[in-house]
């Protein structure tokens, strides 16, 4: 039983990767730690349950990575995908610290597997969790329990007592009543607000009703909202988020990784008017997959269709839902209530624009279009081998980028620019410091692990002082 009457050194609010890294880091420095996870035990771990890999800088190939990924290259990738909308000092600090995480996370019981191939193209840059995100979380929770960290599930935090930038206590729902817990330092690691449709609608309007939430339904942003209302400085554009194209047949919440489509580069994408609207071959897929959610969100009724033919059916990782099949483009259109003539025209114009080249999905190849808008700058091949296939897709929101501003010590900054006396943040709740926009595969886990470890360390040292 957890004794809420005692004063802990460190209170961690959240139960995902960032929270566990913070809790373990603090505990290893001798701090007493309580973790409050708002979800039931079965659903513990937030969006970390659905992850597969982490992107860390490293200087040489390893047993699970095929080559080096220098800090400079990581920074260049981050700069490109964010369009420069990142806190450079914080981002470079994260990248430098990520080099230690590969080994540190293993010391906490997590195991790696060889990277996957195919369209992911991550064998050199990203380390994959053996057993996926849930196995990674189970390992961290086991370590936390063995270290004597107290963990409370179904622990929804209703309010935070904060005075002049100092955390004093948290009020949580417990059964039918309320309880208060105090601590010398607090780490906020409770995710973004992507599962709060009403909050999303403040920025996206009615379109948000058509969004699907890839991850946990428990990330409603309540901790973020409380912190911002109590004087914490915000960071990030509330309309920016990690959003990918996921199957339109996926559940409203918690569909996870198996609903994501990686087939875009092998075909074309059209909206409800059977019109293409973006370059499907702009860049290597792990650097572009997370723009497609926002692209689809901007289309009429927030719906789109990935169209391809039988020649590429086995070229990408399959998803939970099978593609819709038809013997002709017109028949395929009718299955989605698209205008058959419009889709035939779009496919014909695309096919006519394809120029010959040597196809290679692992590089920026020379298979491109000419004379059609938008262009397809790489991996363009004619769609002409029946049967034809399509996936219906909607925006799948992973996490939002509006968050709390922090410094290199993961210490929360207040609206007056001063660091909080004893509040820290890690993970998606502060990801907007690094991710102004855009995303590259595995960066979310990097942010959570690196700043979780830092936040726990700093919170423990703060509590001692």
């Amino acid at each position: 039983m957890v004794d809420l009457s005692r004063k802990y050194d460190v209170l961690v609010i959240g139960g995902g990767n960032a929270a566990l890294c913070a809790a373990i880091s603090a505990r290893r420095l001798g701090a007493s730690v309580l973790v409050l996870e708002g979800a039931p035990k079965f659903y513990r771990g937030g969006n970390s349950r659905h992850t597969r890999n982490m992107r860390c800088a490293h200087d040489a190939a390893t047993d699970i990575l095929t080559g080096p990924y220098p800090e400079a290259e990581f920074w260049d990738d981050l700069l490109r995908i964010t369009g420069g909308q990142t806190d450079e000092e914080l981002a470079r600090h994260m990248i430098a610290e990520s080099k230690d995480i590969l080994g540190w996370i293993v010391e906490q019981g997590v195991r790696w597997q060889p990277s996957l191939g195919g369209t992911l193209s991550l064998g050199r840059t990203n380390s994959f969790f053996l057993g996926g995100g849930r196995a990674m979380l189970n390992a961290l929770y086991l370590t936390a329990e063995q270290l004597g960290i107290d963990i409370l599930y179904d622990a929804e935090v209703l309010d935070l007592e904060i005075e002049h930038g100092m955390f004093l206590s948290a009020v949580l729902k417990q059964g039918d009543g309320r309880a208060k817990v105090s601590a010398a330092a607090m780490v906020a690691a409770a995710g973004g607000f992507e599962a709060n449709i009403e909050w999303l609608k403040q920025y996206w309007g009615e379109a948000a009703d058509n969004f699907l939430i890839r991850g946990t339904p428990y990330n409603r942003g309540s901790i973020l909202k409380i912190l911002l209302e109590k004087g914490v400085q915000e960071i990030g554009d509330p309309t920016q988020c990690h959003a990918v194209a996921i199957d339109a047949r996926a559940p409203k919440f918690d569909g996870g990784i198996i609903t994501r489509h990686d087939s875009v580069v092998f075909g074309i994408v059209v909206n409800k008017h059977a019109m293409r609207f973006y370059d499907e071959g702009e860049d290597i897929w792990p650097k572009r997959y997370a723009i497609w959610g926002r692209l689809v969100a901007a289309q009429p009724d927030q719906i789109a269709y990935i169209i391809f033919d039988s020649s590429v059916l086995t070229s990408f990782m399959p998803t939970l839902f099978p593609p819709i099949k038809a013997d002709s483009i017109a028949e395929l259109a009718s299955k989605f209530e698209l205008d058959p003539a419009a889709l035939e025209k779009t496919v014909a114009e695309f096919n006519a624009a394809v120029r010959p080249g040597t196809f290679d999905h692992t590089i920026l190849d020379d298979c491109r279009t000419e004379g059609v808008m938008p262009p397809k700058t790489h991996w363009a091949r004619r769609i002409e081998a029946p049967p034809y296939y399509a996936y219906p897709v909607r925006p799948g929101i992973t996490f939002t980028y509006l968050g709390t501003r922090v410094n290199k010590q993961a210490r929360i900054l207040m609206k007056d620019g001063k660091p909080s006396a004893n509040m820290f943040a890690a993970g998606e709740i502060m990801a907007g410091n690094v991710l102004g926009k855009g995303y590259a595969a595995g960066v979310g886990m990097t942010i959570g692990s690196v700043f979780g470890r830092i936040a726990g360390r700093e919170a423990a040292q703060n509590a001692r002082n």
Side-chain angles (χ1 to χ4, degrees):
M1 294 292 292
V2 175
D3 180 10
L4 296 181
S5 65
R6 65 181 291 197
K7 182 175 182 178
Y8 285 86
D9 292 326
V10 178
L11 175 67
V12 178
I13 303 176
N17 169 62
L20 270 293
C21 286
I24 290 169
S25 176
R27 182 64 185 144
R28 289 200 180 280
L29 288 178
S32 59
V33 182
L34 172 63
V35 172
L36 298 179
E37 164 60 289
K41 185 174 183 179
F42 181 81
Y43 290 105
R44 71 184 183 185
N47 288 340
S48 301
R49 294 161 49 240
H50 298 300
T51 59
R52 290 189 292 197
N53 61 82
M54 188 190 316
R55 180 180 296 254
C56 292
H58 49 278
D59 294 327
T62 69
D63 291 343
I64 51 138
L65 293 160
T66 60
Y69 187 46
E71 292 181 43
E73 184 182 353
F74 194 160
W75 165 245
D76 184 60
D77 285 341
L78 189 62
L79 197 62
R80 253 198 340 274
I81 60 110
T82 61
Q85 294 184 35
T86 182
D87 182 320
E88 180 171 353
E89 182 185 22
L90 216 58
R92 286 187 179 274
H93 182 57
M94 178 198 76
I95 291 168
E97 291 278 319
S98 76
K99 295 172 81 169
D100 287 336
I101 287 293
L102 280 173
W104 184 83
I105 204 85
V106 170
E107 292 169 3
Q108 316 316 318
V110 176
R111 297 174 64 191
W112 302 116
Q113 70 176 40
S115 287
L116 304 178
T119 48
L120 291 170
S121 306
L122 297 172
R124 182 174 61 85
T125 60
N126 287 44
S127 301
F128 280 69
F129 304 116
L130 180 63
R134 192 181 285 271
M136 177 271 299
L137 278 168
N138 288 343
L140 292 180
Y141 269 100
L142 179 60
T143 297
E145 291 162 1
Q146 291 172 339
L147 289 172
I149 294 169
D150 286 342
I151 301 166
L152 203 58
Y153 298 105
D154 283 307
E156 181 186 357
V157 174
L158 303 175
D159 198 10
L160 301 173
E161 186 183 3
I162 299 169
E163 289 185 4
H164 308 295
M166 176 176 280
F167 168 80
L168 299 175
S169 65
V171 176
L172 60 139
K173 185 178 179 182
Q174 198 176 38
D176 295 329
R178 296 187 175 199
K180 180 182 284 192
V181 59
S182 59
M186 184 272 287
V187 177
F193 67 92
E194 63 277 357
N196 189 331
I197 304 300
E198 291 307 310
W199 197 351
L200 289 174
K201 286 170 76 170
Q202 290 181 26
Y203 310 110
W204 288 90
E206 297 304 310
D209 281 330
N210 289 326
F211 293 175
L212 302 176
I213 313 307
R214 296 176 73 206
T216 176
Y218 297 95
N219 279 11
R220 297 183 52 78
S222 55
I223 301 303
L224 173 62
K225 187 180 283 285
I226 292 168
L227 288 171
L228 297 183
E229 288 173 350
K230 300 209 171 187
V232 167
Q233 187 179 154
E234 70 177 53
I235 184 80
D237 179 347
T239 69
Q240 292 292 337
C241 53
H242 178 347
V244 304
I246 71 170
D247 203 288
R249 296 164 288 183
K252 185 67 174 178
F253 297 99
D254 230 19
I257 200 79
I258 56 172
T259 62
R260 189 182 97 193
H261 286 294
D262 294 327
S263 53
V264 168
V265 299
F266 294 99
I268 60 173
V269 185
V270 301
N271 61 20
K272 66 176 288 189
H273 301 304
M275 302 292 292
R276 291 176 61 238
F277 53 89
Y278 198 80
D279 180 354
E280 300 92 349
E282 185 179 41
D283 204 347
I284 296 291
W285 186 237
K287 298 176 184 176
R288 283 295 178 269
Y289 80 94
I291 70 170
W292 280 90
R294 290 179 59 83
L295 291 172
V296 175
Q299 297 307 304
D301 295 339
Q302 296 72 54
I303 187 77
Y305 306 89
I306 306 169
I307 312 290
F308 54 97
D309 67 19
S310 60
S311 69
V312 299
L313 185 59
T314 60
S315 298
F316 49 86
M317 190 175 295
T319 71
L320 177 65
F321 300 93
I324 304 300
K325 177 182 175 182
D327 291 326
S328 69
I329 293 296
E331 181 189 352
L332 192 65
S334 65
K335 291 192 174 188
F336 295 106
E337 298 183 353
L338 299 175
D339 181 339
L343 186 59
E344 285 181 323
K345 182 173 184 286
T346 294
V347 172
E349 289 177 348
F350 173 79
N351 285 345
V354 172
R355 295 295 171 262
T358 303
F359 181 84
D360 186 346
H361 70 80
T362 66
I363 62 171
L364 297 174
D365 72 6
D366 60 351
C367 294
R368 58 187 175 82
T369 59
E370 281 183 8
V372 68
M373 290 300 291
K376 186 172 182 181
T377 49
H378 306 285
W379 314 300
R381 291 187 294 183
R382 293 166 63 91
I383 300 171
E384 58 184 2
Y388 301 97
Y389 297 89
Y391 287 114
V393 291
R394 287 201 180 277
I397 312 299
T398 312
F399 65 93
T400 45
Y401 290 178
L402 178 69
T404 61
R405 186 179 276 279
V406 300
N407 61 18
K408 286 168 61 177
Q409 288 74 46
R411 192 181 290 267
I412 288 174
L413 300 182
M414 307 306 290
K415 286 177 181 173
D416 61 7
K418 295 178 181 177
S420 163
N422 63 348
M423 295 192 295
F424 304 83
E428 293 172 2
I429 201 169
M430 49 68 62
N433 288 271
V434 175
L435 295 170
K437 69 173 186 178
Y439 191 76
V443 169
M445 292 301 288
T446 315
I447 292 171
S449 299
V450 168
F451 285 102
R453 184 186 180 196
I454 293 172
R457 180 180 69 217
E458 296 294 327
Q461 291 171 350
N462 191 93
R464 282 180 176 177
N465 296 332

